[in-house]
Amino acid sequence: LVSVNGSLYGIIYLHMQQGSPIASGTVITGGQQIGRIGSSGNSTGPHTHVEVYYLGSQSITDYINSWNGNYLHGIGMSMANRCIDKGNSAPCRMDPGVVFGYN
């Protein structure tokens, strides 16, 4: 979970090398290594899959206190609920390329 300018985001990194991701709940800083590229799960080769979810304006603490344990943040696996289609109505799935500046 990341709070930026009063907006809350969930960021998930998948298919990483097993045993390499840092522990859940660890506070990190920019540039810190969080894991190694891998091919775990349903994957055809080494890569890191990134999902970014816009979760609204609540605080990290409030979100954690109401969280149901679902790492998909209520969005699901389909490409439905994309922020661009919902007018950025939380919760919604964002384009990681836009978020990280490579699109």
Side-chain angles (χ1 to χ4, degrees):
L1 295 174
V2 177
S3 181
V4 178
N5 297 327
S7 294
L8 185 63
Y9 301 90
I11 303 175
I12 302 173
Y13 301 88
L14 305 158
H15 304 301
M16 299 174 80
Q17 193 175 98
Q18 290 185 339
S20 77
I22 61 173
S24 178
T26 303
V27 176
I28 61 170
T29 58
Q32 182 177 345
Q33 182 176 349
I34 60 169
R36 292 184 298 279
I37 291 174
S39 187
S40 63
N42 188 11
S43 171
T44 59
H47 72 289
T48 297
H49 180 111
V50 179
E51 293 282 344
V52 180
Y53 303 97
Y54 171 63
L55 301 173
S57 60
Q58 60 190 317
S59 71
I60 290 176
T61 301
D62 288 344
Y63 187 83
I64 289 171
N65 289 336
S66 65
W67 185 50
N68 67 3
N70 179 345
Y71 283 108
L72 294 176
H73 303 284
I75 303 294
M77 287 301 291
S78 74
M79 284 311 294
N81 295 315
R82 296 181 316 161
C83 293
I84 196 167
D85 298 332
K86 291 182 65 181
N88 294 335
S89 176
C92 58
R93 183 187 304 244
M94 299 186 72
D95 178 345
V98 171
V99 173
F100 294 112
Y102 59 82
N103 265 5

